[in-house]
Amino acid sequence: MSTIERTLALVGDRWTILVLRAAFRGIHRFDDFCADLGIGRPILTARLRKLVAAGLMERVPYQHHPPRYEYRLTPKGTALSPAIVALVRWGDENMSTTPPTTRLVHAPCGTELEQGFWCKTCAVRFGPTAIRGVPDAAQA
Amino acid sequence: MSTIERTLALVGDRWTILVLRAAFRGIHRFDDFCADLGIGRPILTARLRKLVAAGLMERVPYQHHPPRYEYRLTPKGTALSPAIVALVRWGDENMSTTPPTTRLVHAPCGTELEQGFWCKTCAVRFGPTAIRGVPDAAQA
DNA sequence: CAGACTAAGTTCTGTTTTGATACTTACTTT
DNA sequence: AAAGTAAGTATCAAAACAGAACTTAGTCTG
């Protein structure tokens, strides 16, 4: 099983990306995920467990008396944000029936962000058509 | 159902992204998809139909005598590549057990690409932590 | 201090989706 | 004439999903 196959076995379903995106938006508690996403409780349980096991989220106690836990993104989970942002943006541009209600902006200045590829040798930004896949010679 | 939910209803499963990625890699025919991905034929049939119906791929005849068709990405399908690249790269960095066999490079110069967000006002590249979602006032 | 409430799940049950294997159809090649 | 090829379809068991109700442990309200 290749890396991308393992990646999709983890995040490739209708809910996992939505759960991660909710976490990005500041949702951290079980019932809040349920309410925000309309996800069924058993499925949410399974997804959260999978994400915790994979190290994308962690289950942290936020109160002890009745022990309660919330779910927070780890750096590994946060690192998935370019993929999620790309998906959201593609959706807004290609799948929306109504104008998007939220814009993603550069926090310091409020300008809508652009996403792209960068070549540090040429110091240029470029699009998908200038990508090539090459076999990596640096193998053990 | 929100835009992102509709987006994931379309591409959020274990196979659809893999099919699109195979198409990026130059695979276009039914049996080649099967062999390359190890996907079951009934599932491939369903995925290709869904992708054609959604306008991400098109079914084009490549020979007439026994009528044969192949599947090619449309611009709408190609537009999904930033998301696919982001997923592949996240996988390579976070899910790989062996070093990746393929590097994605800037075609003109061969340098490995970087992916990021860009603010055209500040003219800077930035990472996920500098993103904010703001309600869009420009509604009808 | 009884009753209702809360958060984070679990149980149960029926419906969809998968995944594997085999079969079909219409040609082409040996 | 027999075998091969490409693009599917058919069948069926196993797994995943979805919804509703139930559980558990503790807290708040009258």
Side-chain angles (χ1 to χ4, degrees):
Chain A
M1 204 186 199
S2 70
T3 297
I4 179 69
E5 283 174 296
R6 258 176 300 113
T7 301
L8 286 166
L10 176 62
V11 303
D13 70 281
R14 278 179 60 122
W15 289 114
T16 301
I17 295 284
L18 254 23
V19 169
L20 292 169
R21 176 167 163 271
F24 276 113
R25 302 203 332 271
I27 289 168
H28 300 294
R29 298 185 185 175
F30 194 93
D31 281 12
D32 292 340
F33 281 111
C34 279
D36 186 80
L37 301 174
I39 185 175
R41 296 169 155 274
I43 304 121
L44 178 60
T45 301
R47 289 301 170 278
L48 289 174
R49 252 199 253 289
K50 200 167 160 181
L51 288 170
V52 169
L56 303 212
M57 299 190 89
E58 53 187 352
R59 184 167 179 267
V60 301
Y62 67 87
Q63 101 182 8
H64 290 281
H65 272 306
R68 290 292 140 82
Y69 299 89
E70 59 182 18
Y71 295 87
R72 294 195 164 268
L73 291 165
T74 62
K76 186 169 170 182
T78 306
L80 204 51
S81 71
I84 297 176
V85 169
L87 225 35
V88 168
R89 291 176 64 80
W90 181 87
D92 283 346
E93 282 157 27
N94 293 278
M95 298 288 287
S96 73
T97 48
T98 54
T101 54
T102 304
R103 288 178 311 128
L104 294 174
V105 302
H106 183 215
C109 78
T111 305
E112 188 151 351
L113 61 85
E114 288 172 31
Q115 190 175 26
F117 305 109
W118 170 257
C119 177
K120 67 166 178 275
T121 300
C122 307
V124 290
R125 291 187 309 126
F126 59 94
T129 53
I131 298 176
R132 199 160 39 107
V134 300
D136 191 355
Q139 293 290 311
Chain B
M1 204 184 200
S2 71
T3 298
I4 180 67
E5 283 174 298
R6 259 176 300 113
T7 301
L8 286 167
L10 176 62
V11 305
D13 71 282
R14 277 179 60 120
W15 289 114
T16 301
I17 295 284
L18 254 23
V19 169
L20 292 168
R21 175 165 163 272
F24 276 112
R25 303 205 328 272
I27 289 168
H28 300 294
R29 298 187 185 174
F30 194 92
D31 281 11
D32 293 340
F33 281 111
C34 281
D36 185 80
L37 301 175
I39 185 176
R41 297 170 152 275
I43 303 120
L44 177 60
T45 302
R47 289 300 172 280
L48 290 173
R49 250 199 255 290
K50 201 166 158 181
L51 287 169
V52 169
L56 304 213
M57 300 191 88
E58 52 187 353
R59 185 168 177 265
V60 301
Y62 68 87
Q63 101 181 8
H64 290 281
H65 273 306
R68 290 291 139 83
Y69 299 88
E70 60 182 19
Y71 294 86
R72 293 194 164 269
L73 290 165
T74 62
K76 186 170 169 181
T78 305
L80 205 50
S81 71
I84 297 176
V85 169
L87 226 35
V88 168
R89 291 175 64 79
W90 181 86
D92 284 346
E93 283 156 26
N94 294 278
M95 297 289 288
S96 75
T97 49
T98 54
T101 53
T102 303
R103 289 179 311 128
L104 294 175
V105 302
H106 183 216
C109 78
T111 305
E112 188 151 352
L113 61 85
E114 290 172 30
Q115 190 174 25
F117 305 108
W118 170 259
C119 176
K120 67 166 177 278
T121 299
C122 308
V124 291
R125 292 187 309 126
F126 59 94
T129 53
I131 297 175
R132 198 159 38 105
V134 299
D136 190 355
Q139 293 289 312

